[in-house]
Amino acid sequence: MSMIRDYYEQIELPSILIDSEVAAFDKHPDIKREFEHWLENKEYFVDNCVAVENYTAKSIAEKFPVLDGEGAFRLLVQLRDEPEEAHERINRGFIIR
């Protein structure tokens, strides 16, 4: 079983969503590797980290604290897969309601 799947099961993500979330990371092994490192160590890569559209997971978490952790890595995936939509989300900001 994968570390990412275990994480989603632990936070009780509905099982119908777990497969799609895991598949999104499987599609991007570089981002997956960094996310697994974060899950294990609760720290971001500083050197040799993945940058997508000039964002790293660490820079996303610093700029948008609400995305610290899993959210930063999901945004990297979205920046790669759907850059226009991701930039729209970034421009709107990330407000907790």
Side-chain angles (χ1 to χ4, degrees):
M1 187 150 299
S2 83
M3 187 181 301
I4 294 173
R5 180 175 296 280
D6 290 345
Y7 166 77
Y8 284 127
E9 289 174 355
Q10 181 181 358
I11 65 167
E12 299 181 357
L13 187 72
S15 58
I16 195 164
L17 299 177
I18 291 174
D19 288 339
S20 66
E21 293 298 316
V22 170
F25 284 106
D26 285 344
K27 184 177 171 185
H28 304 287
D30 53 346
I31 298 171
K32 176 182 178 178
R33 179 177 59 93
E34 283 195 35
F35 184 31
E36 289 174 336
H37 173 83
W38 185 89
L39 288 171
E40 199 166 31
N41 301 291
K42 298 299 185 253
E43 65 183 21
Y44 296 98
F45 281 2
V46 176
D47 298 319
N48 301 313
C49 53
V50 175
V52 182
E53 302 279 328
N54 295 318
Y55 287 97
T56 65
K58 182 176 170 63
S59 71
I60 291 167
E62 289 172 346
K63 186 170 183 173
F64 307 106
V66 70
L67 296 182
D68 188 28
E70 186 256 355
F73 294 99
R74 285 294 297 131
L75 186 56
L76 284 179
V77 169
Q78 186 179 28
L79 281 163
R80 195 173 276 168
D81 289 345
E82 303 169 320
E84 290 179 16
E85 291 87 349
H87 283 289
E88 287 176 18
R89 287 183 64 210
I90 291 167
N91 291 336
R92 282 193 312 264
F94 299 92
I95 300 168
I96 299 176
R97 299 181 199 269

